[in-house]
Amino acid sequence: METNERQVTQINVEDLTVILKDAQYFRVRYFAKKHNDYIERMGMVDDKMKLWEDSKEEICFTYFDLQQNGYRTAKNIDWIQTASLRKEALN
């Protein structure tokens, strides 16, 4: 019997950083206070990308946003996954 459910895995920050650095692109979904909603973005792996903890011990993710063409920091992250880049993914 097949299932369409995605496997959800919890992972520590160090291991996630290693996995992302092996990829070139990724997708991230997080709650943006500015929009008061969850948003999904395409990002690119580079040397400035980092996962870190703020003073409130919340996980933060600084990344290059391909759609906004600049660096962003995400909090309240729902998920991050490696991705292949297709032109239509940026629209």
Side-chain angles (χ1 to χ4, degrees), residues 29-33 35-39 75-78:
R29 182 176 188 262
Y30 60 96
F31 187 81
K33 286 183 184 178
H35 302 286
N36 196 32
D37 199 4
Y38 281 94
I39 60 173
K75 282 185 173 183
N76 302 311
I77 301 164
D78 192 25

Side-chain angles (χ1 to χ4, degrees), residues 25-67:
Y25 302 103
F26 58 86
R27 293 176 9 171
V28 59
R29 182 176 188 262
Y30 60 96
F31 187 81
K33 286 183 184 178
K34 178 180 177 179
H35 302 286
N36 196 32
D37 199 4
Y38 281 94
I39 60 173
E40 191 175 313
R41 297 283 194 229
M42 290 291 300
M44 181 176 70
V45 174
D46 67 6
D47 292 337
K48 294 181 183 179
M49 179 194 80
K50 66 178 181 174
L51 284 151
W52 51 283
E53 236 179 74
D54 68 7
S55 60
K56 297 177 185 173
E57 297 183 356
E58 294 182 81
I59 301 297
C60 302
F61 180 45
T62 302
Y63 68 99
F64 187 82
D65 186 324
L66 291 169
Q67 292 149 305

Side-chain angles (χ1 to χ4, degrees), residues 16-27:
L16 180 57
T17 301
V18 169
I19 290 169
L20 286 174
K21 289 199 179 210
D22 284 341
Q24 188 173 3
Y25 302 103
F26 58 86
R27 293 176 9 171

